[in-house]
Amino acid sequence: MSSSYKGLGLFNSGPHRFAVEPAGSKVIPVFVLDGASAGSVPLGPLELIVVVTGRLVAGTEAALWTLRDAILAQLTTPTSGGLLIDHHGRQFAEVHFTEFAPGDRTDRGRLVTLGYTARFIKYLAS
């Protein structure tokens, strides 16, 4: 099975994996709020954050840029929610694609590859 975002197989050119960041409550020290008090205070629930890490793989430099451009085209401001499906069929509805961080180098050999990290958030208000 392949993965997709808004029906597009953005990450399927190479190996990739999905990770869900911790769930629970956002808690901060009271000191941050008033500068003097001890203890902590819960601010509310954490948003669902899904991180995709992987490697784009192409036969040529131009083909690699095509893959990268297709991903960058999905980074809009303001963001719009969409359905993210991992390669095991797990679905994350109404997540927003908020960040794409390419690796620090393009590896060139028989294939041209680029590591990346992509971040998706399900906003509490959506």
Side-chain angles (χ1 to χ4, degrees), residues 47-120:
E47 295 170 316
L48 170 69
I49 299 175
V50 180
V51 178
V52 181
T53 55
R55 184 161 289 280
L56 298 176
V57 179
T60 66
E61 188 85 25
L64 183 66
W65 276 102
T66 298
L67 294 171
R68 186 174 173 171
D69 290 344
I71 292 170
L72 295 177
Q74 297 304 308
L75 290 169
T76 60
T77 303
T79 62
S80 63
L83 179 63
L84 177 65
I85 303 174
D86 74 12
H87 42 293
H88 299 291
R90 168 86 168 128
Q91 297 185 9
F92 304 93
E94 288 303 309
V95 294
H96 296 250
F97 190 7
T98 60
E99 183 179 343
F100 177 76
D104 63 345
R105 67 186 162 277
T106 299
D107 294 315
R108 295 168 182 87
R110 289 185 316 167
L111 297 172
V112 184
T113 69
L114 177 70
Y116 65 84
T117 301
R119 184 179 176 93
F120 297 83

Side-chain angles (χ1 to χ4, degrees), residues 3-55:
S3 64
S4 65
Y5 179 63
K6 295 183 177 179
L8 303 171
L10 301 173
F11 308 115
N12 293 325
S13 70
H16 58 286
R17 64 185 172 276
F18 284 64
V20 177
E21 290 197 357
S25 294
K26 177 68 176 175
V27 177
I28 63 167
V30 177
F31 180 84
V32 171
L33 300 173
D34 70 9
S37 300
S40 298
V41 61
L43 294 181
L46 294 171
E47 295 170 316
L48 170 69
I49 299 175
V50 180
V51 178
V52 181
T53 55
R55 184 161 289 280

Side-chain angles (χ1 to χ4, degrees), residues 47 123-126:
E47 295 170 316
Y123 298 124
L124 291 174
S126 59

